[in-house]
Amino acid sequence: MIYPVLETERLLLRQLAPNDAEDLFEYFSLDEVMEYYDLETFKNLDDARNIINYFNTEFEKGKGFRWALELKSEKKVIGTCGYHNWYPDHFRAEIGYELNPKFWRKSYMKEAILPILTFGFESMRLHRVDAFTNPSNLSSEKLLQSLNFKEEGILRDYFFEKGKFVDAKIFGLINE
């Protein structure tokens, strides 16, 4: 399968490449980005290379897509977004994302997610998209609500991350 390339006014959404490692390391090495992520803060470029390899391997296995969010004006990757935990037989997948803090509060993630949702509903034949947030991640919650995701509840001690159990707030978007 050919990796789908999507485009918005400011962003090129494409497959991650090995030469994106420095851009990813720039923000995956920040504790503020990794606070709600299920990985430890990156310590070196190999960590970034490994996550690129992981995301691309998941695509090759047919388990999901993770797009690089390349800022067209700078040819710089400022984040990633995509689907994982894809269950084609159940017509659902989970969406995940992260963004370099230099680009927070400028609507880049919403701009990226809109065509990704369209791709999911039209090309992947999704009926439902799930999103999980940490209950204290209010920025992510606000983003999801702006995209018409509905809060469905809190799953207590749902994930085990960084040596402890954490709650997850679940949001869902149905293709109606």
Side-chain angles (χ1 to χ4, degrees), residues 83 90-93 114-130 147-150 152 171-176:
Y83 294 112
H90 296 282
F91 303 91
R92 67 180 165 87
L114 287 168
I116 288 172
L117 289 172
T118 299
F119 177 84
F121 291 137
E122 293 178 1
S123 299
M124 296 170 67
R125 299 180 52 229
L126 297 177
H127 175 69
R128 176 186 172 89
V129 177
D130 293 326
L147 292 160
N148 297 315
F149 279 76
K150 303 297 182 221
E152 297 179 342
F171 292 82
L173 180 65
I174 306 293
N175 185 18
E176 300 183 277

Side-chain angles (χ1 to χ4, degrees), residues 67-167:
W67 284 271
L69 310 183
E70 181 182 300
L71 189 60
K72 289 179 184 177
S73 63
E74 298 181 29
K75 300 243 189 272
K76 175 183 182 63
V77 174
I78 63 170
T80 75
C81 181
Y83 294 112
H84 55 279
N85 294 330
W86 178 22
Y87 298 97
D89 293 348
H90 296 282
F91 303 91
R92 67 180 165 87
E94 183 183 335
I95 197 164
Y97 45 83
E98 87 289 323
L99 191 65
N100 186 321
K102 293 178 184 175
F103 302 93
W104 287 358
R105 292 182 252 317
K106 297 178 181 170
S107 298
Y108 284 108
M109 193 54 71
K110 185 172 184 177
E111 182 178 331
I113 290 176
L114 287 168
I116 288 172
L117 289 172
T118 299
F119 177 84
F121 291 137
E122 293 178 1
S123 299
M124 296 170 67
R125 299 180 52 229
L126 297 177
H127 175 69
R128 176 186 172 89
V129 177
D130 293 326
F132 293 93
T133 68
N134 183 300
S136 61
N137 189 346
L138 301 180
S139 294
S140 187
E141 182 175 323
K142 184 176 175 183
L143 169 66
L144 293 168
Q145 290 171 336
S146 77
L147 292 160
N148 297 315
F149 279 76
K150 303 297 182 221
E151 182 181 332
E152 297 179 342
I154 293 181
L155 303 168
R156 296 179 310 120
D157 288 351
Y158 193 71
F159 293 111
F160 188 76
E161 298 174 354
K162 301 174 185 166
K164 64 182 180 178
F165 289 100
V166 295
D167 294 346

